[in-house]
Amino acid sequence: MPAPVLCQSCGAGRAALRRPKTGRALCRACFVAAFEAEVHGTIVSARLFQPGETVAVGASGGKDSTVLAHLLRLLNERHGYGLRLLLLSIDEGIAGYRDDSLEAVRRNRGRLGLPLHVLSYQELYGWSMDRIARHVGPKNNCTFCGVFRRQALDRGAALLGADKIATGHNADDVAETVLMNFLRGDVGRLRRCAGILTGGEGTLPRCKPLKHAYEKEIVLYAYFQGLDYFSTECVYAPNAYRGHTRTLLKDLEAVRPSAVADLVHSGERLAVREDVRMPTQGICQRCGYLSSQPLCKACVLLEGLNRGLPRLGIGKPSRLQKALTGAEKPEAGFQEDSEQSSNAVRTIDF
Amino acid sequence: MAAPLCVQLEFGGGAELLFDGVRKHQVTLPIQPGPWDIRCLLVWIKENLLKERLELFMQGDSVRPGILVLINEADWELMGELDYQLQDQDNVVFISTLHGG
């Protein structure tokens, strides 16, 4: 039996993991302390929060958002950030997946002592993901879900009076997105996607405090701290392009663990040539959400669903946009009257 | 000649879904001519425990990248990975990082 490896930080404890970023072997206690200190360091150096802010933590019940909520509560107390934290969950309406994961969020809500608000696609858009999937078929479900979720988090956080949204995106997620945007030639997103604090101008600022945290460390942190999270694969995910990108990244990481951090770094440092035309951000004519087209993607997808043409918003948008906006009246479509939608958010009490 | 080994196997982070949702398995590995290393254990798991979608658990003769392995609560990367020789009463945990966020 090989002799146990000793912690390279304290020199006393038995090492519990090799850190992918540095290759150092640390014991459980030193790893937990280092991991927490690094996330705090990220928050401070990127100036993610200001004292007195209300921060809505996007909570899915999965590993990343569970660790994020736990850490923000802990660091907020430890370092006196002065934040008001609340959990915001989006219920996409996916039976056997989101209903179960929301149970995990509810359990954690008790443990964290933070208020929880749940907002559903059904309430916001009149469509659950299960019903969308029945109309759309096996492909492109993640397109609908991703576009809708992004807006749903924004609308939910705005209704709750939050100043900022924090999401659980980790280094692997960011690296994947950089790679995916590169593979798709999506220069506009490629330039934005590695930012740690995005948004503003019409949408709430969003931040990713776990941006530099490796998935491996997040999972081991949750394991060592005994955090309860939900981990079923989404029933619609196997068909997503992201899945292939993810597999590619995991294979690269196995050969060279720094690949994840390197891709994040590339995403941060990439400069786009000045003569490359970038999409100009405007406002959706129908719902007022940020959009580079006359109609935002969510409104186009929703229009397709409601007209019985679910593939309407899939693919290149230009011709379609013209057809849809031709007869547009400003008051038609999504109502964003805050009084009307305030019943859409409910606080869960126990 | 190695004696039969009793080891505890644990699957989490979504990996348990490939094992009928059962997280903990107390197993006895039969006597075999050579030592029981993790490489042999994976073959044994594949043949005796795994219920579905082999490709989500294994790649080649190792676990699929993105599945973490802990041997007696320590990262297998510190323990020799596939070459680690199992001892009686060892605890091996497989945690998937590939599920949900």
Side-chain angles (χ1 to χ4, degrees):
Chain A
M1 191 170 175
V5 179
L6 285 181
C7 174
Q8 291 177 319
S9 176
C10 67
R14 172 176 175 248
L17 82 157
R18 186 184 297 289
R19 302 197 69 185
K21 232 186 298 189
T22 59
R24 289 186 90 198
L26 293 189
C27 71
R28 201 184 269 223
C30 289
F31 163 66
V32 166
F35 187 76
E36 290 170 356
E38 284 171 12
V39 175
H40 172 60
T42 302
I43 289 171
V44 172
S45 66
R47 298 203 183 107
L48 293 189
F49 305 117
Q50 307 299 322
E53 278 183 338
T54 297
V55 178
V57 183
S60 70
K63 59 187 187 325
D64 303 307
S65 63
T66 301
V67 168
L68 177 66
H70 168 87
L71 280 173
L72 285 184
R73 203 198 65 117
L74 182 94
L75 298 173
N76 190 33
E77 280 175 19
R78 183 181 292 168
H79 301 286
Y81 295 161
L83 303 177
R84 191 174 142 247
L85 297 170
L86 41 91
L87 303 173
L88 173 59
S89 290
I90 303 303
D91 182 358
E92 297 93 342
I94 304 174
Y97 172 65
R98 188 54 82 215
D99 44 357
D100 294 344
S101 68
L102 285 172
E103 278 309 308
V105 178
R106 293 192 175 98
R107 288 197 299 274
N108 281 321
R109 176 222 172 264
R111 177 171 161 159
L112 292 167
L114 298 176
L116 164 67
H117 305 269
V118 180
L119 191 60
S120 74
Y121 279 11
Q122 182 64 46
E123 291 164 277
L124 270 177
Y125 306 109
W127 288 79
S128 71
M129 261 321 287
D130 282 342
R131 200 167 136 235
I132 292 173
R134 281 200 297 277
H135 278 251
V136 179
K139 287 199 169 176
N140 301 314
N141 286 301
C142 298
T143 302
F144 282 88
C145 200
V147 169
F148 285 169
R149 183 168 342 94
R150 194 176 168 79
Q151 284 207 10
L153 265 182
D154 259 318
R155 295 187 192 286
L159 286 171
L160 296 171
D163 301 299
K164 210 163 263 173
I165 300 170
T167 61
H169 292 100
N170 60 39
D172 293 61
D173 294 330
V174 176
E176 247 169 65
T177 307
V178 170
L179 195 56
M180 199 163 72
N181 287 332
F182 197 82
L183 293 172
R184 281 176 169 164
D186 192 335
V187 181
R189 284 204 178 81
L190 187 58
R191 201 170 65 165
R192 294 195 300 267
C193 68
I196 190 162
L197 186 60
T198 54
E201 288 176 54
T203 54
L204 281 177
R206 281 180 179 237
C207 65
K208 310 181 188 96
L210 300 181
K211 181 190 152 188
H212 296 295
Y214 269 59
E215 196 154 58
K216 171 179 173 177
E217 298 201 344
I218 289 173
V219 169
L220 286 179
Y221 181 85
Y223 181 76
F224 291 150
Q225 299 296 82
L227 300 183
D228 169 23
Y229 66 88
F230 180 79
S231 50
T232 292
E233 203 172 359
C234 175
V235 285
Y236 303 122
N239 293 303
Y241 189 47
R242 179 175 284 273
H244 299 293
T245 315
R246 192 175 168 76
T247 306
L248 174 60
L249 180 64
K250 284 286 164 204
D251 288 343
L252 290 171
E253 189 190 352
V255 182
R256 184 178 138 95
S258 72
V260 173
D262 295 342
L263 261 168
V264 173
H265 180 75
S266 300
E268 287 171 339
R269 295 304 166 96
L270 266 178
V272 177
R273 262 197 355 248
E274 275 190 23
D275 59 338
V276 174
R277 202 165 57 90
M278 300 299 284
T280 44
Q281 294 286 0
I283 298 289
C284 172
Q285 289 180 12
R286 195 171 288 188
C287 74
Y289 191 79
L290 206 67
S291 172
S292 57
Q293 301 285 336
L295 287 188
C296 75
K297 188 85 171 167
C299 282
V300 174
L301 292 173
L302 208 51
E303 173 95 10
L305 287 170
N306 290 332
R307 282 199 195 175
L309 303 165
R311 299 192 54 81
L312 200 60
I314 309 291
K316 292 287 171 196
S318 50
R319 207 182 300 170
L320 175 73
Q321 285 278 343
K322 278 187 198 131
L324 284 180
T325 49
E328 194 65 22
K329 294 189 188 74
E331 66 271 23
F334 192 85
Q335 300 285 322
E336 220 202 350
D337 183 336
S338 63
E339 261 187 24
Q340 242 195 338
S341 7
S342 62
N343 2 339
V345 177
R346 56 184 194 275
T347 307
I348 298 210
D349 290 311
F350 293 86
Chain B
M1 195 75 148
L5 291 176
C6 288
V7 295
Q8 174 161 280
L9 305 178
E10 216 177 308
F11 302 93
E16 71 278 11
L17 300 170
L18 306 174
F19 298 86
D20 269 349
V22 181
R23 286 175 167 269
K24 288 189 181 183
H25 301 251
Q26 202 72 48
V27 304
T28 304
L29 302 172
I31 295 170
Q32 67 168 22
W36 274 98
D37 56 17
I38 300 288
R39 192 177 282 103
C40 304
L41 176 70
L42 288 175
V43 173
W44 187 89
I45 289 174
K46 179 171 83 176
E47 287 168 357
N48 295 278
L49 283 185
L50 192 67
K51 300 294 181 195
E52 53 179 309
R53 294 182 290 174
L54 168 69
E55 72 282 3
L56 294 188
F57 187 67
M58 290 185 68
Q59 187 168 310
D61 67 348
S62 189
V63 290
R64 185 181 174 199
I67 293 184
L68 306 179
V69 185
L70 297 174
I71 301 167
N72 300 326
E73 299 288 286
D75 190 351
W76 77 330
E77 291 180 29
L78 301 169
M79 312 280 284
E81 302 194 12
L82 290 171
D83 296 324
Y84 173 81
Q85 292 188 11
L86 286 164
Q87 313 293 314
D88 198 41
Q89 302 305 321
D90 271 352
N91 175 274
V92 186
V93 183
F94 298 89
I95 311 175
S96 174
T97 65
L98 302 168
H99 290 82

